[in-house]
Amino acid sequence: MPDQQEEKPKLPLTSMLALVAVVSGLLVSQIPLKTSRPIGKEADNLVLVGDDRVQSRLWQDPFEAVDDHLVKERQQAKENNVSHEGHHALEDLAHVIHRLAPENPSFLILPVMTDGNPYSKGVETRLRHRYALVSALGASEYLPEASQYVRFFRWKRQPCVKSSCAPLIVPVEWYKPKPSLGPMAPPVLILWLKGQDFSEKPLAGLTQLIKDLKKNFNQVEHQFRILGPRGSGGLSAMVKEADQFPDDYEILHNVEIFSSWATADDIFLIGDPPGESRILESQQPIIESVRSLPLAPGKVEKIFNKAHIPFYRTIGTDTMLAEQLVKELSLRNVNLTESCSDSQCPHHVALISEWDSLYGRVLPRTFVAVAQNQGSGKPSPQLDDHINTLRRDIWPTWAHHFSYLGGLDGELPPKDSDKGGKASSSKDKGGDNTSRLSRGLELPEGRGQLDYIRRLVKTLQDAEANIPGGFKAIGVLGSDVYDKLLILQAVRNSFPQAIFFTTDLDAQLIHPQQWSWTRNLVIASHFGLELRRHLQEPIPPFRDSYQTAFFFTVLQALKAKDKRKVITDVPPRVYEIGRHGPFDLSALDAPNAPPGLHPERTDLDPDTGHPSSMSVFTLLTIAGACALIFLCFMLLSSQVWTAFIGLVTSWSFWLTTVIAIAMAIGLDLWAMSDGAEGEPFVVTEGISVWPTQALRLLAFLLSGGFFIYAGWSLRNNEIQLRDKFPLPELSKDCPQGPWYSRFIGIHGWCPEVAKPRTIQQLWLDYMRLGRWDNRWLRYFLQSLLYLLFGGLLMLYFGPPHTPCRGPACFSINTMFLIFSVLGMVLLIFFVVDATRLCRRLIKHLVVGSIQWPKEFLEHEARKRGVDRTCVHEWLCIDFIAERTAVIGHLIYYPFVIVFLMAVARHPYFDHWDLPVGLAILIFLNIAYAFGNGVALRRSAEQARRVSLDQLNARLLPLNDQVPVEKESKRHIERAIEAIKHNRKGAFMPLAAHPIVGAIALPSGGYGFILLAEYLSTAF
């Protein structure tokens, strides 16, 4: 008998895939940047007492540099027994400035009101503000006096607000214009002011400062343009000052104020703080007077105009952000503008914010008010009424508000005794809560508030338990990005189906270390991290949106009044955090938006604003690559070439191709019908469902292809079996029996031991049950029951989350999901049905009394060189091996589809989740197909054991001393040896069996290699 050798793969696929994995890892990984700059051990340089120059890089915090300078100055004054008091007066600075600009005594003075708090957030804010200011000056063709130092002076505010007021430290910088700006371009003097020093009466403080500056710089009339206030609280104080005392600030009449940070809506800037139940009587006249003003321009601008103070708000309000968020959630099927009763609201939203800041108190109320105002953030009496209701803490049932205290990590300002100037955090005197986050749960002690976050998550979960469908969206609306990251880290994994959103784009949110909880985060932001290249070239993207807004504001403030028109009302942008940074989801610039401000979306056509179609070059490239791959397969196998010739000469192939191309064009147009408000067409960003839909479409097409290929394989195998064994062909008019019996035909086909049957009768029964119409009736009913069970699971555990954007995306997702699931389920039950039918055939061969034709037995006995009595079992095993060689490989097909469907929901592509109900269905799919594959192998092995037992039973009474019995014994032993070493079909070794490769396929790696090796030997 010829040896049965296992098929070897034609390609070294294992080595090739391993090499691809290694090379991919090297290409994708990023290496952290490390400097080679040597750090000097003697960091303290010589400081001259009384010198107003402070060593500082252009990116350094000016207040930190001045503080370090003053510490060293005091130390050296003490060592040299020299007084350090009386230096750094405003008069001293005036002499220096006059010396620096003798030819052009008139210059532009820019007071910059920055964050003055001593926490790490304040330090980082000042670093960002200075970087943006220096960048804007450079982009406007200004050069610093020196890039290694700044100057400063002490300013004692009069009248002093407190009983004992220390002079304020004011760092200053001097910039001179390049010759290209012309002789009329004024130099620029930057004054750095801490916003907290002007928090009570900012206009009064600025008035006094400008008076003192004019007193010392009294040669000519200088230009003043204030960049501030720092936040909404400062602007609110300015508004109330300007409204109550409009005639007290005559010196500010020609002083322009540019606000790029205050985003609170006008009603919050004028009225009482959120949460109070009534409006204070002292504020009632202000509010009534403002409500009587026209809606455009803004009410705040009207108050400043009344006081004759030029005021420009270069950043939008929180209502504009809220409008964009409500609209974005509506595109994602969370429509908050629908009116609903208290018990029937389909969408519930959780809002988490800090309550110890005006921003944290205002933003959640603004968001809910805009949603109640039909998603409109335009100023109107209706919006004001909604806001006033929320200011009394009357919330709609769909909005769930939760709060926390800012500074969750417990970080405090550095003490004078702290070395290195590092901030004191929760690990000092009170337990290292931050480090415990990585070692275990946080203890409820110390300054850190991480344990409060854990209980906040539990509170959210308890609230969600009482909400049908749970939270559809969760907003993290704080002002501190570090607090946002901690909350996202704690909450994100507990609510996998919720859409998380926030405001104000920050580079901290897109850092790879934060991807686990920030990816797919929706962000509404007034600006991105960069402007269009003609405005920002060659400056790299900034760290946050406020830095970009400040940069843009400085660019406008530096322009002469007669050469500029201040751009206000910039529409906000919407971003989603992807793998390569924030992806802009905003449409093209609105009609009232300044043109050419934000970078263009790369996936949109700049002329139409619709998603860009693939170019002809891209289509030709894809077609060429597919043709090259197909050519390689044809070179590897002649069967591929034969199949290709058969396809191209068939009219049905070209008809199918035309229909497929038409459907592809139609789907493409359908997908693009949402325009810029639809799902973006990207692959590797992890924010688009289109790769998932492509895989689902592939799964559906493969299901159909597997059906066709499986039918062809079964028919081809039947022809081969008829050529090898005496089997008849099933006639078309074969009786089918009652229609109801065809649903359960396999269960009624049982072997009868007492009734002998021929192999021809058995084969006809098998073929009758295996007809396509009978198969369809059986597994269609099974599929229907399975889908009903799956629907009940989804109803009980909740449906999976669909991260679509736009109506077309949801419709296409539903259509592709239905078709792919139907294809997968029908294919699974088709394979299971073919396997069960083959198992029942094996059972007939083992248990029943099957008779082979005598002539065929004698022919096979002569061919195999054995006695006729030994051929029956041998033929049965060969017959089982031949049939299961085809049936066994069918198990790969449902596993390939299940694998594709599971990969399609991988979070790599988008915010896909895996709920319990879906996980149960995937497990049942795998278990059902795998169980039937195992049962087929067991049935085949049982048939082999029965055949071997029968042959061994005949072998035992034979005697080697009798020549006839010795010859019979030799024949039987040869048949036993052939049956034992049969390695075909269901009898192949377990390591090479399709069951092992199929069960390993969903786990990737080894299973994928097994599948690739199988495909490489399939032709």
Side-chain angles (χ1 to χ4, degrees), residues 226-253:
I226 299 172
L227 302 178
R230 171 63 185 89
S232 298
L235 181 57
S236 178
M238 280 188 178
V239 171
K240 293 170 184 177
E241 278 187 288
D243 189 79
Q244 292 177 356
F245 312 103
D247 300 326
D248 291 359
Y249 308 107
E250 182 178 354
I251 198 171
L252 298 179
H253 285 180

Side-chain angles (χ1 to χ4, degrees), residues 158-377:
Q158 297 293 337
C160 187
V161 180
K162 299 180 182 178
S163 58
S164 176
C165 292
L168 300 182
I169 301 297
V170 181
V172 299
E173 299 182 67
W174 179 261
Y175 284 82
K176 53 187 177 181
K178 290 183 180 180
S180 58
L181 291 179
M184 301 303 295
V188 177
L189 179 65
I190 306 296
L191 306 181
W192 290 98
L193 307 176
K194 291 184 178 180
Q196 286 79 350
D197 295 333
F198 296 81
S199 59
E200 296 183 8
K201 294 183 177 181
L203 290 182
L206 290 170
T207 299
Q208 182 63 44
L209 176 61
I210 293 175
K211 284 182 179 180
D212 291 345
L213 291 171
K214 287 188 174 184
K215 179 181 177 181
N216 288 274
F217 305 140
N218 55 5
Q219 285 81 358
V220 294
E221 188 68 21
H222 301 291
Q223 302 178 59
F224 288 87
R225 296 169 191 170
I226 299 172
L227 302 178
R230 171 63 185 89
S232 298
L235 181 57
S236 178
M238 280 188 178
V239 171
K240 293 170 184 177
E241 278 187 288
D243 189 79
Q244 292 177 356
F245 312 103
D247 300 326
D248 291 359
Y249 308 107
E250 182 178 354
I251 198 171
L252 298 179
H253 285 180
N254 293 321
V255 176
E256 297 176 296
I257 299 178
F258 294 81
S259 175
S260 64
W261 296 301
T263 60
D265 196 57
D266 290 358
I267 192 171
F268 289 108
L269 297 174
I270 300 166
D272 57 313
E276 293 191 7
S277 59
R278 60 185 179 87
I279 300 175
L280 300 179
E281 295 182 1
S282 61
Q283 296 171 339
Q284 187 68 33
I286 304 175
I287 298 175
E288 294 300 331
S289 64
V290 171
R291 284 181 177 173
S292 64
L293 297 174
L295 294 179
K299 303 171 185 177
V300 169
E301 285 79 358
K302 281 288 185 179
I303 292 178
F304 279 104
N305 291 339
K306 182 181 177 181
H308 305 288
I309 300 176
F311 176 79
Y312 305 103
R313 205 171 190 178
T314 57
I315 194 170
T317 61
D318 293 334
T319 55
M320 299 173 67
L321 290 182
E323 182 177 347
Q324 290 296 323
L325 286 173
V326 172
K327 180 180 179 181
E328 184 65 24
L329 290 177
S330 177
L331 292 174
R332 297 170 186 265
N333 209 23
V334 182
N335 191 354
L336 301 179
T337 61
E338 295 178 351
S339 59
C340 59
S341 61
D342 293 346
S343 59
Q344 296 180 348
C345 287
H347 308 297
H348 287 254
V349 176
L351 303 174
I352 308 173
S353 67
E354 62 201 23
W355 68 267
D356 56 337
S357 71
L358 178 62
Y359 184 87
R361 295 191 299 270
V362 164
L363 193 55
R365 291 169 171 83
T366 303
F367 174 82
V368 176
V370 170
Q372 292 179 313
N373 196 40
Q374 299 300 312
S376 174

